[in-house]
Amino acid sequence: MHELPPEVIRNAIQRAARTMRLGHVPIDRMVYTRWRSNMDNNLPVVIASLDMESLEKPSARMLGKDMLHEISTHLGGVPVLPSNHSGARYVIFLRKPRLPEVVPCPENLPAHTFALGETIDEHLHLPVERMQNVLVGGAPGSGKSTFLHLLAGQAVRKGYLLFLADPQENTFAPGTWEGYAALPVASSPAAFLALLERLPEIFAERSAQFAAQTPVCPDIETYNRTAKKPMPRLILVVDEFNTLLVDKAIQKKLADVARQGRKYGLTVVLAAHDWRAESVSKGLSANFTTRLTFRVDDSTSGQVVLLSHKLGKAAMNLRHPGRGIGRFPGYGIRLFQACLPPEMPQMPPEARGASAPLLTRREREILEHIRAQGGKATLEVL
């Protein structure tokens, strides 16, 4: 297991410290052991513990990502991770960790925590408040659709109100998903705009309920902590989003919905296989905290999603389905393997296709007028 002798590791750490102008790094001891993670319980590592009393610089600087990168470079590119839960330590891998080929969706997570995937050393489980809105990229066959099923499936199991849009009706086939969704799957720009018009109406209803509380509740988290009947959260999952941009009103309306939605419990997930800078305006882009992409066919798509040309090029080299690169709140930039979707709860046959028709605001006004006239439509209304 001693593929890297102690003196080689010590020299690499000191050379890295000189490059970073951190002075001498006092190594207290080095232990060759096995990394026990959720991925690989037989991964050889070296744990180099620092002598805390002899440090010339704060331990936070010694464990910074630039220092770790320098150590890795001097050791030939092996991964180096920090650890300071029980003293400042470097965890140096003697061979590259491997991501798993398959990651089942875990059960029994906290109520509002979503399983996204696994990295080489930890689970990517994000509370919905931290995850917020999600931007997804990925070429056909890369695992993008499976990932959208993962988010939608977890939302259904958590009791969220699910709203879906898919102009190609491949990822979310209406016959399969309408029993789980609050409205029919929007498969055209007009239907998607009608769906977006419904969401502010839900926001207005919830705002009235917030105002009726004493004291007045500022958001859904506060309301649900005190209300006898908590409100279900909302999630809007859109695939092939760029197909829906033929109507510029959609992007403006969606930006407003995404900006307001957090207060009322809405998470927006936008996915496409071909992203361009003009696909996502600055007003819309600013609302997306979680960003990830699977394999893409060109670097521009990855760059738009990950906000980095270098990462966009790296996304072109991803091969295994479900393998992705992401920017995750609290985790930074990580290479990961996405979880598989959970098993969907059984839906009674009579519930399938039972969603209310997806009508525009004007169409609903006309129907209400006709009902008020005893079912008669006047020539003026027509």
Side-chain angles (χ1 to χ4, degrees):
M1 189 169 71
H2 290 59
E3 300 173 26
L4 289 173
E7 60 272 17
V8 172
I9 296 175
R10 289 180 185 274
N11 290 338
I13 293 173
Q14 301 308 332
R15 289 169 63 191
R18 287 196 296 271
T19 302
M20 297 298 299
R21 299 181 180 179
L22 295 178
H24 178 73
V25 181
I27 305 296
D28 181 35
R29 62 175 181 159
M30 286 195 290
V31 177
Y32 287 75
T33 183
R34 299 281 177 176
W35 180 261
R36 302 190 63 81
S37 72
N38 54 302
M39 301 296 172
D40 188 346
N41 289 334
N42 195 35
L43 192 62
V45 298
V46 179
I47 298 177
S49 300
L50 309 188
D51 184 349
M52 299 294 291
E53 295 182 358
S54 303
L55 285 179
E56 298 177 9
K57 302 289 183 179
S59 61
R61 293 191 61 190
M62 294 290 184
L63 299 174
K65 63 179 182 180
D66 291 335
M67 178 63 172
L68 301 176
H69 175 73
E70 286 294 331
I71 296 173
S72 174
T73 299
H74 290 301
L75 290 174
V78 298
V80 180
L81 298 179
S83 175
N84 60 1
H85 66 279
S86 58
R89 305 186 302 174
Y90 299 118
V91 180
I92 302 162
F93 292 80
L94 297 181
R95 63 174 171 81
K96 279 196 172 185
R98 293 185 296 271
L99 285 169
E101 299 291 313
V102 176
V103 180
C105 185
E107 299 180 359
N108 304 320
L109 288 178
H112 295 296
T113 296
F114 279 76
L116 303 185
E118 293 187 355
T119 69
I120 60 170
D121 60 332
E122 60 190 336
H123 302 288
L124 285 173
H125 297 168
L126 266 65
V128 69
E129 297 90 349
R130 185 195 295 176
M131 184 174 74
Q132 298 184 30
N133 299 323
V134 185
L135 201 63
V136 184
S142 66
K144 172 175 62 70
S145 296
T146 302
F147 183 77
L148 298 182
H149 289 170
L150 168 70
L151 296 182
Q154 290 183 91
V156 169
R157 294 179 68 90
K158 295 176 188 298
Y160 285 35
L161 291 181
L162 175 64
F163 302 89
L164 300 171
D166 180 6
Q168 296 185 4
E169 298 186 349
N170 290 328
T171 300
F172 297 109
T176 302
W177 283 91
E178 283 188 356
Y180 298 106
L183 293 172
V185 178
S187 57
S188 69
F192 185 52
L193 191 57
L195 187 157
L196 291 178
E197 289 179 349
R198 288 287 189 94
L199 293 174
E201 296 174 6
I202 296 175
F203 297 166
E205 294 170 2
R206 294 190 167 197
S207 181
Q209 290 179 266
F210 291 172
Q213 292 292 98
T214 305
V216 174
C217 294
D219 52 42
I220 191 171
E221 287 84 10
T222 307
Y223 180 90
N224 283 347
R225 280 197 296 268
T226 57
K228 293 182 180 179
K229 186 178 180 181
M231 293 179 181
R233 285 184 167 272
L234 319 168
I235 186 168
L236 168 62
V237 184
V238 185
D239 197 14
E240 304 303 340
F241 175 67
N242 40 20
T243 305
L244 298 169
L245 291 178
V246 292
D247 186 345
K248 293 299 181 182
I250 286 178
Q251 192 159 149
K252 183 179 183 301
K253 188 71 175 179
L254 182 59
D256 292 339
V257 165
R259 184 172 57 254
Q260 300 175 44
R262 185 179 179 189
K263 175 179 179 180
Y264 301 107
L266 173 68
T267 295
V268 178
V269 182
L270 299 183
H273 71 271
D274 183 24
W275 288 104
R276 293 294 179 265
E278 59 271 18
S279 301
V280 188
S281 66
K282 290 183 178 179
L284 181 60
S285 178
N287 293 294
F288 289 83
T289 304
T290 300
R291 294 166 168 265
L292 57 99
T293 185
F294 304 98
R295 178 183 54 79
V296 290
D297 292 331
D298 63 87
S299 61
T300 301
S301 291
Q303 177 181 348
V304 170
V305 175
L306 298 175
L307 305 175
S308 165
H309 179 66
K310 181 179 179 180
L311 294 177
K313 291 185 67 176
M316 295 177 63
N317 297 320
L318 299 170
R319 289 292 176 262
H320 187 68
R323 189 68 44 86
I325 302 172
R327 288 181 177 270
F328 302 99
Y331 293 95
I333 300 170
R334 305 305 299 270
L335 178 69
F336 71 101
Q337 179 67 33
C339 296
L340 296 175
E343 183 178 347
M344 296 294 287
Q346 290 296 317
M347 184 66 64
E350 62 272 15
R352 296 200 177 277
S355 304
L358 191 57
L359 306 176
T360 65
R361 184 192 300 271
R362 181 59 181 153
E363 288 169 335
R364 295 200 303 276
E365 290 173 352
I366 292 172
L367 286 178
E368 290 169 4
H369 180 84
I370 292 173
R371 292 192 190 101
Q373 300 297 320
K376 297 179 180 179
T378 65
L379 183 59
E380 179 183 0
V381 169
L382 293 176

